[in-house]
Amino acid sequence: MTDLLHCTGIQCRFGDFVATKGIDPSVKHGEIVGIIGANGAGKTTLLNIISGYLKPTAGRVMFRGTDVTGMPPRALARRGIARSFQVPQLFASGTARENMMVALSLLVDPRTSLLRRFSDRGLFDKAQRLLEDYRIGEHADAVVAHIPQGVRKLLDIAMATCASPALVLLDEPTSGVSVDEKNDLIGRLIERFRKTSTSVIFIEHDMEIVREYASRVIALYDGRIIADGDVAEVFADRDVVRYITGAGVAPLSADGCHAPA
Amino acid sequence: MTRRQIDWTIATLLGVAIAASLSASGVPGWIRYLGQLSTATALTSAGVMILLRAGLLSFGQGLFYFVGGYAVALTTKLAAITDAFVVLLVATISAGLVAVILGSFLARYRGIFFSMLTLAVSMVVFGIATKVRLFGGSDGLNIGLMSYAGYRPRGADAQWSGFVFCIWVWAAFSIATHILLRSRFGWLIRAVADNEVRVEYLGYSVKQIVWVAYTLAGMLGGAGGALAGLSARHVDPQFAYWTTAGDFIFVVLLSGQASILSPAFGAFLLEVLRSYASALFPDQWQSVFGAMMLAIVLFLPVGLDRLVTLLWSMTRKAVSRRSRSLAGGVVS
């Protein structure tokens, strides 16, 4: 079976600065890939390239066997690549439900429905159900500019993924979410995507979360992949320990439990 | 919920149009004329409102006003067509075509660049129009009496039927625009102003949305220009001058952007203000406008329609509370 996403020689240059230096990440169907790396390692640049926001200066992005390099986000969104943002990208003047309704009517319904009435009962109920699904239904009537960051984060993800995409890119889904909500939030998300065997790439700084939920980890350092493999393997890698996780994260012991610190 | 709710905006538009038509022969001519001019300004301002909802301030809607007005003048002059419906159609389509062409590159720009480019294009057309003999130079062109699907009114009847025609064209275009604004596409226009990145990630091209919005605004401007030409029975290059476009912006700033009714209200207010202010302060009527604008920006920056929407939601709440307490009374 071909990979769902297969990149070859992705390079992205901003003037003299090279953000990604010819990397070849790939994702199989149903995989949950965690991307780790220090700030400036090229994590978000990679997501920007895969989702079509940036055009790589060299290399190709293959999605479901077709070359999608340089396609704009709107084309990729329709092909099944969804992306959430580190800073939630919402329609600030609307309510949470209105945001969800817009997302549903644009991503899920056909283009011909664009002239249908916006305040439509079916659309309204569908949006409400989705918000309840993500347990943010109580904020449905609040204007987005006034709701808490954690809720905005979830709303952003809910909007991006409402059309059941094949590949979901999550840029730091837990940043800005309080420590005690973090695990619960990502747990529910991953469970959701596992159930539909949706492939996920997520960028995460919390190594415990990566360890818990990723089925594979890609470690980026200075625009290069320094380790790529299953969780235990990557966290045990000497370069990963030196450049990313540091001594703070204990390597896994053989039986999969945390070694005593 | 299968019960169809009354759309109060459409009901109001129809109500105003019917009331105006019925009272047309009763009210003094000058009020009728003010109303007629307002329909032209209202439609063009509605275009400005659509673009403002997308976050774009067009200083060039006068261009479409010009195209619409001159389309009427030239069709009657060159093709000897005097049917009001036909010339209106020609005007709207011509303005739409011009907007499609200009929009193809203007849709890429935002903010001050968009404003300045729309202004520049319209000023170039103004400059050309003053020199072209076909357009009557800076004197403009006169427009003869119209016929309405075979009916050829003369004298007082002509004024009366011109007014009724303008009112119903305004109502029809306003209803069409309202239906569009309440649709999903209408929300998408707002979404562009809010967050372009998200719109793109939801699978739509921001440029195309802006392009369509610009074209719609252009067509409304063309229809407005046609009504202005038919009302005044004269068009001149001043239609494309930037201060004309400024009037439409003034209307929308004054009235707000809550509904298609807002620019209609603003337009009527503008025409009344203009006639009273120029009668009372012949040399200083523009400072009345300035003071008005200042007051709005300082005290009611969202526009006068906020007062109406507040009142409306208050009455709706009161009504629903009363009906709920009535229902409760029946149960207990």
Side-chain angles (χ1 to χ4, degrees), chain A residues 36-178:
Chain A
I36 58 173
N39 289 330
K43 304 184 297 296
T44 299
T45 304
L46 182 60
L47 285 206
N48 279 339
I49 289 170
I50 296 172
S51 69
Y53 193 71
L54 287 177
K55 205 180 160 164
T57 31
R60 312 188 146 286
V61 182
M62 307 286 287
F63 179 65
R64 286 170 158 165
T66 42
D67 190 346
V68 297
T69 322
M71 273 193 193
R74 57 175 182 273
L76 293 175
R78 292 184 170 274
R79 282 170 177 255
I81 299 184
R83 188 243 166 109
S84 80
F85 297 86
Q86 191 178 350
V87 178
Q89 298 291 319
L90 306 168
F91 304 121
S93 72
T95 65
R97 192 190 299 108
E98 282 172 339
N99 271 262
M100 202 66 230
M101 284 164 77
V102 175
L104 281 168
S105 63
L106 299 190
L107 268 182
V108 180
D109 290 348
R111 274 173 186 258
T112 46
S113 72
L114 210 54
L115 286 177
R116 279 171 50 191
R117 210 180 160 139
F118 179 74
S119 36
D120 163 87
R121 199 72 214 180
L123 189 64
F124 184 97
D125 290 340
K126 224 157 104 187
Q128 185 67 34
R129 257 200 311 280
L130 256 171
L131 293 176
E132 309 279 353
D133 258 16
Y134 280 89
R135 294 194 215 162
I136 50 176
E138 57 179 303
H139 299 280
D141 285 311
V143 173
V144 159
H146 304 137
I147 60 179
Q149 176 71 1
V151 180
R152 297 166 61 139
K153 208 84 191 187
L154 273 174
L155 181 59
D156 181 72
I157 295 169
M159 285 170 73
T161 59
C162 65
S164 14
L167 175 64
V168 174
L169 313 171
L170 305 174
D171 195 348
E172 300 197 25
T174 66
S175 75
V177 181
S178 72

Side-chain angles (χ1 to χ4, degrees), chain B residues 261-318:
Chain B
L261 296 169
S262 309
F265 165 71
F268 188 66
L269 206 61
L270 172 82
E271 297 303 340
V272 171
L273 259 180
R274 187 156 31 207
S275 67
Y276 271 99
S278 55
L280 295 174
F281 318 96
D283 300 322
Q284 254 118 34
W285 63 275
Q286 272 154 330
S287 37
V288 176
F289 274 38
M292 189 94 190
M293 180 76 97
L294 199 64
I296 288 287
V297 170
L298 285 178
F299 301 112
L300 207 63
V302 284
L304 287 171
D305 60 10
R306 173 51 62 87
L307 299 175
V308 182
T309 46
L310 277 179
L311 263 176
W312 176 247
S313 66
M314 269 160 66
T315 38
R316 294 213 80 167
K317 259 185 211 150

Side-chain angles (χ1 to χ4, degrees), chain B residues 52-290:
Chain B
L52 265 180
R53 283 192 177 187
L56 297 165
L57 179 64
S58 169
F59 256 106
Q61 289 316 96
L63 171 66
F64 301 108
Y65 203 60
F66 170 91
V67 171
Y70 273 73
V72 169
L74 292 174
T75 335
T76 50
K77 185 181 165 189
L78 301 177
I81 294 170
T82 57
D83 190 275
F85 294 98
V86 175
V87 295
L88 175 74
L89 198 70
V90 172
T92 311
I93 293 174
S94 321
L97 285 176
V98 172
V100 167
I101 295 165
L102 291 177
S104 66
F105 75 95
L106 286 178
R108 281 201 293 267
Y109 297 92
R110 298 291 177 272
I112 190 77
F113 304 104
F114 179 84
S115 301
M116 286 297 124
L117 279 171
T118 52
L119 186 141
V121 174
S122 127
M123 288 309 284
V124 167
V125 170
F126 168 78
I128 295 170
T130 52
K131 306 277 185 315
V132 177
R133 179 166 298 183
L134 177 71
F135 289 174
S138 52
D139 291 339
L141 296 166
N142 286 326
I143 297 170
L145 284 172
M146 288 289 130
S147 61
Y148 305 90
Y151 171 56
R152 293 168 189 284
R154 289 292 176 266
D157 279 353
Q159 286 176 18
W160 174 84
S161 34
F163 171 76
V164 173
F165 176 77
C166 287
I167 285 287
W168 282 98
V169 167
W170 162 75
F173 275 75
S174 296
I175 290 173
T177 310
H178 171 68
I179 289 175
L180 191 96
L181 288 179
R182 74 173 189 193
S183 76
R184 296 169 181 197
F185 182 77
W187 222 100
L188 203 47
I189 291 175
R190 242 180 90 181
V192 166
D194 258 2
N195 196 329
E196 295 195 8
V197 173
R198 174 54 89 181
V199 171
E200 288 276 335
Y201 271 94
L202 288 175
Y204 280 80
S205 156
V206 169
K207 193 197 155 190
Q208 274 175 26
I209 298 164
V210 170
W211 195 359
V212 172
Y214 185 75
T215 305
L216 290 168
M219 289 170 79
L220 285 170
L227 296 190
L230 291 177
S231 305
R233 296 184 46 204
H234 178 79
V235 290
D236 63 56
Q238 203 68 28
F239 275 36
Y241 199 68
W242 70 275
T243 52
T244 309
D247 280 354
F248 308 130
I249 296 171
F250 178 81
V251 163
V252 179
L253 287 184
L254 191 69
S255 67
Q257 316 167 28
S259 142
I260 190 70
L261 296 169
S262 309
F265 165 71
F268 188 66
L269 206 61
L270 172 82
E271 297 303 340
V272 171
L273 259 180
R274 187 156 31 207
S275 67
Y276 271 99
S278 55
L280 295 174
F281 318 96
D283 300 322
Q284 254 118 34
W285 63 275
Q286 272 154 330
S287 37
V288 176
F289 274 38

Side-chain angles (χ1 to χ4, degrees), chain A residues 188-206:
Chain A
R188 274 189 283 140
L189 283 176
I190 298 291
E191 186 198 343
R192 233 190 132 76
F193 296 132
R194 278 226 176 96
K195 241 186 254 167
T196 50
S197 63
T198 308
S199 304
V200 177
I201 302 179
F202 70 104
I203 295 177
E204 184 55 66
H205 283 298
D206 187 326

Side-chain angles (χ1 to χ4, degrees), chain A residues 34-43 203-208 210-211 217-228 231 233-250:
Chain A
I35 295 189
I36 58 173
N39 289 330
K43 304 184 297 296
I203 295 177
E204 184 55 66
H205 283 298
D206 187 326
M207 295 305 150
E208 294 307 322
V210 176
R211 207 196 281 282
V217 177
I218 293 176
L220 285 178
Y221 178 76
D222 194 24
R224 286 200 179 81
I225 295 182
I226 54 169
D228 179 355
V231 183
E233 192 185 315
V234 170
F235 277 111
D237 188 280
R238 200 186 301 160
D239 285 341
V240 172
V241 174
R242 189 193 308 159
Y243 295 124
I244 303 169
T245 59
V249 175

